[in-house]
Amino acid sequence: MNDTQKSAEARMVYVTCPDIETARTIASALVEHHEAACVNIVPGLESVYRWQGKIEIDNELLLLIKTRAERIDDIQARVAALHPDDVPEMVAVPIIEGATAYLDWLEAQTGRS
């Protein structure tokens, strides 16, 4: 697979979490099961959104999940199983470019175990 194909397969998945325990649980499970190569936990996020007709403002953490396109369904299932929210945020975007060595590592880490 060439660099263009690797970057075409690479994804960044964003998931918000209500607390550090949830964030660490999800991040650890994703890496343990080779669904993600790496997950960054970013604290200090404040989210403003409408839920059940009411404006909500919550402090959250953001997971930055590095993976491949073929692992998105697995990640979605794992997040749904471990996240306390009825509708957890999960958005995936393509990684357009990246360092060759990093993309190689990402691919190796997200293979089926």
Side-chain angles (χ1 to χ4, degrees):
M1 184 178 290
N2 65 38
D3 290 345
T4 302
Q5 291 169 314
K6 286 178 187 167
S7 64
E9 289 296 313
R11 296 290 184 272
M12 177 78 73
V13 181
Y14 300 92
V15 173
T16 54
C17 294
D19 54 63
I20 190 66
E21 294 81 18
T22 300
R24 286 179 178 158
T25 297
I26 292 171
S28 296
L30 293 173
V31 173
E32 178 182 344
H33 294 278
H34 299 275
E35 294 157 347
C38 175
V39 180
N40 302 114
I41 300 173
V42 183
L45 185 70
E46 186 170 84
S47 295
V48 180
Y49 57 96
R50 185 180 310 276
W51 181 249
Q52 298 179 343
K54 185 174 141 191
I55 301 295
E56 301 284 344
I57 301 174
D58 286 324
N59 291 316
E60 296 184 298
L61 297 97
L62 178 64
L63 300 182
L64 302 176
I65 303 164
K66 278 73 85 174
T67 192
R68 290 183 296 136
E70 71 178 47
R71 301 312 305 257
I72 297 295
D73 289 343
D74 298 326
I75 291 171
Q76 187 169 357
R78 181 118 14 234
V79 168
L82 297 174
H83 202 288
D85 288 355
D86 293 336
V87 182
E89 175 183 352
M90 188 186 128
V91 177
V93 296
I95 296 174
I96 304 302
E97 292 185 36
T100 300
Y102 184 81
L103 294 175
D104 289 343
W105 176 79
L106 187 151
E107 182 179 7
Q109 295 304 309
T110 55
R112 301 240 180 234
S113 59

